[in-house]
Amino acid sequence: MELPEVRERVLEAAGRLFYRDGIQAVGMDAIRTASGISLKRLYQCFPSKESLVTHYLAERDTNWRDALVRFVDAADTDGPRTLAVFDFLAAWFTTDDFRGCSFINAFGELGARSEPVAHAVYAHKRTLLLHLQDFLRRDGITEPERLAEQLLLLVDGAIVCAATGANPNAADDARAVAAGLLAGSPRPSGTPLPEERATPAPAPHEPPAPTPTEAAPPPPLLDTPPRS
């Protein structure tokens, strides 16, 4: 088996186990068994577990954001397209393998001890913020930076509430708040107000992909942790 295929099999197995069971609960022996790849070859691809974790997070980042953008682009709505973000979350929350945000989970487990993990979490949240700014600009919001930060709080809050079972309607409630924020935001005349819900698309998943994303500048260390 060629090395690229070995890497793909290891990452697929590791990603499934890390997301389902937690990073610290999954050892390299479990990944060896799940992937069918010997420890020797596994360590040829990833010299440490931390290296494997950061590649796993890079894949999750790419795949989750790609699924989000595809969903928002395809949304059939007469209102602000940005609200489709919360329809995407609602669909994701109903999938059988939903276990919350990979990045919040990873930061909770390792962020205090692993700078590469903290960096990966910061990079994901920073890039997601830029996506939200882009969606808002497409909806006619000319200065979207502050509003995007507020929407990111709603996104992360909805994910945590859905994952913990604290609020089974987390996506809908967050969407309603977002609609209120959008309705009160200045926009050029003729821009639609938040009314219509996007037509649901197939539930999003996070399949493995081979190419990690390029990380954003590293965050301050633990006394001022990155926003997640």
Side-chain angles (χ1 to χ4, degrees):
M1 189 183 303
E2 297 296 325
L3 198 59
E5 185 179 353
V6 172
R7 288 173 59 87
E8 183 177 348
R9 286 181 59 171
V10 170
L11 278 171
E12 190 279 329
R16 185 175 68 253
L17 295 176
F18 287 158
Y19 186 62
R20 186 189 69 192
D21 300 333
I23 294 170
Q24 295 189 94
V26 176
M28 298 299 264
D29 283 338
I31 296 168
R32 174 194 61 186
T33 300
S35 65
I37 302 298
S38 70
L39 281 178
K40 179 179 179 180
R41 296 212 74 187
L42 196 160
Y43 279 111
Q44 286 176 342
C45 297
F46 304 100
S48 67
K49 185 178 179 181
E50 185 176 65
S51 171
L52 179 55
V53 169
T54 55
H55 279 79
Y56 150 71
L57 291 174
E59 284 197 332
R60 298 294 278 195
D61 171 63
T62 299
N63 295 319
W64 193 90
R65 289 188 299 100
D66 284 352
L68 172 65
V69 171
R70 287 195 304 271
F71 187 100
V72 172
D73 286 346
D76 181 13
T77 176
D78 295 329
R81 189 165 295 275
T82 303
L83 293 181
V85 170
F86 299 94
D87 301 327
F88 171 86
L89 295 180
W92 181 34
F93 295 167
T94 64
T95 57
D96 291 338
D97 62 348
F98 173 67
R99 298 292 185 275
C101 173
S102 304
F103 299 87
I104 294 173
N105 296 346
F107 190 83
E109 288 195 74
L110 298 171
R113 299 194 302 277
S114 172
E115 185 174 349
V117 168
H119 180 94
V121 173
Y122 173 84
H124 170 75
K125 297 301 181 184
R126 174 63 185 169
T127 310
L128 177 55
L129 181 65
L130 296 177
H131 281 304
L132 293 172
Q133 291 177 12
D134 178 61
F135 298 150
L136 289 168
R137 288 190 184 96
R138 291 163 61 184
D139 283 329
I141 307 296
T142 55
E143 296 182 358
E145 290 78 10
R146 180 59 180 155
L147 181 54
E149 291 178 348
Q150 294 170 335
L151 295 184
L152 183 59
L153 287 175
L154 291 174
V155 168
D156 281 342
I159 293 172
V160 171
C161 287
T164 59
N167 181 355
N169 302 310
D172 289 341
D173 289 348
R175 189 187 197 279
V177 175
L181 292 172
L182 280 160
S185 299
R187 68 189 64 226
S189 60
T191 305
L193 291 175
E195 293 177 355
E196 301 298 326
R197 176 178 296 275
T199 301
H205 292 280
E206 298 178 313
T211 306
T213 54
E214 187 170 320
L221 290 180
L222 302 175
D223 56 334
T224 55
R227 187 178 299 170
S228 60

